[in-house]
Amino acid sequence: MGPADLVQKISISAESPRGTERNDAGAALAGAERLPPGTWRQKCAAYVLALRPWSFSASLTPVALGSALAYRAEGALNPGLLVGSAVTVLAVHGAGNLVNTYYDFSKGIDHKKSDDRTLVDQILEPQDVVRFGVFLYTVGCICAAGLYAVSTLKLEHLALIYFGGLSSSFLYTGGIGFKYVALGDVVILITFGPLAVMFAHAVQRNNIEKQKLLRRRKILYPYHWRKMWKRTSVYSSGFQNHGRQPWPAEWFHALH
């Protein structure tokens, strides 16, 4: 067998279907072994990137400003309410970013050269983005309910501010789609300006006023009761001989 016949035999064996199937099976097996860890990590990274965390400073700054204004006005700050306000605003902000990603893709605005290619590059599926957005809106509502439970802010005031911000984050691209009618910047300015500042300030301010009111009650109520008891005792001893009551009957009902 000459060199030419040997080269031809080697090339035929390399091009045979059996050899090709063996190579493909080995590559698929190696890829299957590496697939689960890589997919899980890539999925988590994709969810984080879909939130656009580099934009969260736009929501943290007004929360810090509103809390700072409350601290300057009252001289006190509740760290728990500060964290709760920040988580609430961040959840709504992240959900708004996901809504933006979904509607930009569905309307054909995002493309290969866009900054957000989460759906264009099929890093996430559209239903994944929708589920994650619903989850974040739910987290925001739960946090807002918790803030209402621990503060004295009226429900109608909290609902007006919170759901105003939530609606703005959705309507930026969803529903009316203010972004597509050249009103997106106005919505962002209002949402991450007065609304977020008012939300953090109102939560802190009402809680501080509640603490002050409780302290005043603890200080003043015992003093007033002692003073009224002394008056009752003095007048009772002075009027016993005259057969008259020291206080009108309705005063006793008012005290109780």
Side-chain angles (χ1 to χ4, degrees), residues 5 14 36 54 58 61 116 120 122 126 134 136 142-143 155 168 186 213:
D5 296 335
W54 54 85
T61 301
D116 184 12
V120 175
Q122 297 182 350
V134 172
L136 289 180
I142 293 174
C143 292
L155 179 60
S168 299
V186 177
L213 181 60

Side-chain angles (χ1 to χ4, degrees), residues 144-166:
L147 291 175
Y148 169 72
V150 298
S151 69
T152 59
L153 186 62
K154 292 184 178 181
L155 179 60
E156 55 269 23
H157 296 165
L158 177 66
L160 177 63
I161 301 174
Y162 172 73
F163 286 106
L166 187 149

Side-chain angles (χ1 to χ4, degrees), residues 175-197:
I176 299 174
F178 289 105
K179 174 183 177 180
Y180 309 124
V181 292
L183 293 175
D185 292 338
V186 177
V187 173
I188 291 177
L189 180 62
I190 295 175
T191 304
F192 298 111
L195 280 179
V197 174

